[in-house]
Amino acid sequence: MQTKRIRALHGIIILLIIVTIISLTFAGAMGILYVQKVDEVSQLRGEKELVFTDQSVPVLSVDVENKATENPEPGMPNQETSASSESVTGAATAGVDSLGDADAATIATLMQSKEAEVEQSIKERMKALVTGEDGSPLKMLRSFFPENLIYSFEEEYVFAPVLEGVNKHNLLAENFQKTDEGLMQYVENGTVTSHKGIDVSKYQGDIDWAAVKEEGIEYAFIRLGLRGYESGKLVLDEFFDANMKGANSAGVGAGVYFFTQAITVEEAQEEAAFVIQNLANYNVSCPIVFDVERISGGKGRADKLTQEQRTDITIAFCEAVKNAGYTPMIYGNVVCFTRLLDMTRLNDYEKWYAFYDDYMYMPYDVSCWQYTEKGRVNGISNNVDLNISFKTW
């Protein structure tokens, strides 16, 4: 019951924040429109007054000239002239007052029209963010709260602060481009600076690595193995040998990844030793990756680790790999990099980030981005994960 109340409170807070932002945006827009219309009205009034003045001067001039000789007292106004003057002034003033009423009505109409336009524009933008082809409520929230990493976790929206102590990348959102074939790339000054890669396991089956190479794939992360999420046993991927030999033979750069379920530092060191032992006969030019994902449904033996424990385990694996002469890397998604790991302690290791969308939602420094799990590559009969890296190894 308490959890439901907290979720409801979170929902109300988010709704209030969004309403506040919309209200401020609306008020600002109305203020700008009001100032613009006031300026326009002032200009119109000036022009109208000038027109009336130009029309009335000849009349007053004639009256003054005709009555000047009849008035022996300089400075004493002739009553007729005064009356005429007052009459014209009254007419002019009445004209301005009439214009003011008309302008006020016009302004009111314009304001109502602009209010409706602005409100509709805001609604359309929010609708596009939420219901567009690549839109979602998360995408809308992310656009409003750039100081947070926002994601859905166990039916709740999590607002994780972007940590100051974690290295940030300098990649520009506008430099990410998708080709007509749906391939992501990073382009600087007209030059593609990113590098195409894949990651594979037994689920891709037999692979024609020569065809993969011809497709322009520069590197591949090959699953070496895993620790059973229930049994805790170390298991070698049954296609590991074939994939390593095929990649080496075709000239595709090879790295490996291991899916961990270690629950102690000692088990992490055991996993590292298992990986290093099985790399002896292959050319490994790319990093060795520690995959720290959670098992969905709370079934993993490592799912109940604290952030500190999981970070200690990750460091133990990475240090063992580094001491063996390889480059360690950590694989994870937004949950891993905000909830499972203390990223302030992991600046020394490269990151491989999984996020399936047309934009890379991650401010932290990453070497590689896995942007889809539904890629198609010649030489592979099934879907395959596609990656771009921002460096070579």
Side-chain angles (χ1 to χ4, degrees):
M1 181 64 71
Q2 185 177 6
T3 301
K4 291 182 178 178
R5 290 177 178 174
I6 293 174
R7 290 178 181 174
L9 180 59
H10 286 174
I12 293 171
I13 292 172
I14 292 171
L15 181 61
L16 289 174
I17 292 172
I18 293 174
V19 170
T20 301
I21 293 172
I22 293 173
S23 300
L24 291 175
T25 303
F26 181 76
M30 290 300 97
I32 294 172
L33 290 172
Y34 178 77
V35 171
Q36 290 176 343
K37 293 305 173 184
V38 168
D39 290 342
E40 291 177 7
V41 170
S42 298
Q43 183 177 356
L44 287 172
R45 284 180 173 173
E47 291 175 356
K48 291 294 182 181
E49 288 177 357
L50 180 59
V51 170
F52 276 101
T53 301
D54 290 343
Q55 291 176 345
S56 60
V57 166
V59 176
L60 292 173
S61 174
V62 171
D63 289 342
V64 169
E65 289 178 355
N66 290 341
K67 302 297 180 178
T69 55
E70 299 177 6
N71 187 2
E73 299 286 342
M76 286 292 293
N78 179 280
Q79 297 301 314
E80 185 178 354
T81 303
S82 177
S84 299
S85 180
E86 289 176 0
S87 176
V88 173
T89 302
T93 303
V96 172
D97 288 343
S98 301
L99 286 171
D101 294 339
D103 290 339
T106 301
I107 291 173
T109 302
L110 287 172
M111 288 287 284
Q112 291 176 356
S113 174
K114 292 300 180 182
E115 286 175 2
E117 289 179 15
V118 172
E119 182 178 0
Q120 184 62 29
S121 176
I122 292 173
K123 288 180 178 178
E124 288 176 357
R125 177 169 178 263
M126 293 178 69
K127 181 179 178 180
L129 286 169
V130 175
T131 64
E133 183 177 348
D134 60 346
S136 69
L138 276 176
K139 193 167 186 178
M140 181 182 70
L141 288 174
R142 288 164 179 166
S143 71
F144 287 129
F145 299 97
E147 70 278 8
N148 293 100
L149 278 164
I150 305 173
Y151 58 91
S152 178
F153 184 79
E154 296 181 350
E155 300 181 354
E156 290 185 346
Y157 285 155
V158 178
F159 288 67
V162 175
L163 302 176
E164 293 294 332
V166 182
N167 294 338
K168 311 299 191 299
H169 66 70
N170 57 3
L171 302 170
L172 302 177
E174 59 267 27
N175 287 350
F176 286 98
Q177 300 178 7
K178 222 169 189 182
T179 68
D180 294 338
E181 296 77 23
L183 302 177
M184 187 64 67
Q185 56 188 12
Y186 190 78
V187 181
E188 296 179 282
N189 300 320
T191 301
V192 177
T193 58
S194 57
H195 305 274
K196 295 168 61 176
I198 59 175
D199 56 274
V200 299
S201 67
K202 69 175 184 179
Y203 298 108
Q204 276 66 51
D206 293 319
I207 296 175
D208 181 347
W209 283 97
V212 170
K213 176 67 174 179
E214 290 179 4
E215 185 85 353
I217 299 301
E218 301 174 54
Y219 59 90
F221 290 109
I222 296 166
R223 189 172 75 166
L224 184 144
L226 56 88
R227 184 188 289 274
Y229 66 86
E230 289 181 336
S231 67
K233 293 181 180 179
L234 300 181
V235 180
L236 193 68
D237 187 293
E238 58 194 81
F239 277 77
F240 168 69
D241 178 65
N243 283 333
M244 288 298 293
K245 287 179 178 177
N248 285 170
S249 177
V252 176
V256 302
Y257 70 95
F258 184 87
F259 180 75
T260 181
Q261 280 292 289
I263 57 175
T264 66
V265 166
E266 290 73 23
E267 284 191 350
Q269 292 169 337
E270 180 187 18
E271 291 176 353
F274 178 78
V275 170
I276 294 165
Q277 177 185 350
N278 282 283
L279 291 178
N281 299 321
Y282 309 105
N283 178 22
V284 183
S285 58
C286 298
I288 295 177
V289 183
F290 196 54
D291 183 346
V292 296
E293 294 172 281
R294 292 173 78 250
I295 297 294
S296 61
K299 298 178 181 179
R301 66 196 298 267
D303 284 354
K304 295 182 180 179
L305 291 173
T306 66
Q307 186 183 76
E308 182 180 8
Q309 289 171 330
R310 194 182 297 269
T311 304
D312 289 341
I313 287 169
T314 301
I315 291 173
F317 181 94
C318 289
E319 285 299 305
V321 165
K322 185 166 66 174
N323 291 337
Y326 297 100
T327 300
M329 177 184 276
I330 304 165
Y331 171 90
N333 53 24
V334 67
V335 176
C336 296
F337 290 168
T338 59
R339 192 181 196 91
L340 303 188
L341 296 170
D342 180 356
M343 297 296 285
T344 63
R345 298 174 57 198
L346 300 172
N347 279 325
D348 292 341
Y349 311 112
E350 296 191 31
K351 316 297 187 309
W352 175 14
Y353 179 54
F355 183 77
Y356 303 147
D357 214 316
D358 290 340
Y359 66 109
M360 193 184 80
Y361 183 64
M362 176 54 61
Y364 300 148
D365 187 29
V366 297
S367 299
C368 191
W369 172 27
Q370 183 186 83
Y371 63 90
T372 183
E373 60 182 346
K374 298 179 180 179
R376 303 295 298 183
V377 173
N378 287 339
I380 302 177
S381 59
N382 301 327
N383 286 345
V384 63
D385 297 337
L386 298 181
N387 304 273
I388 57 172
S389 65
F390 310 104
K391 61 179 295 184
T392 56
W393 299 278

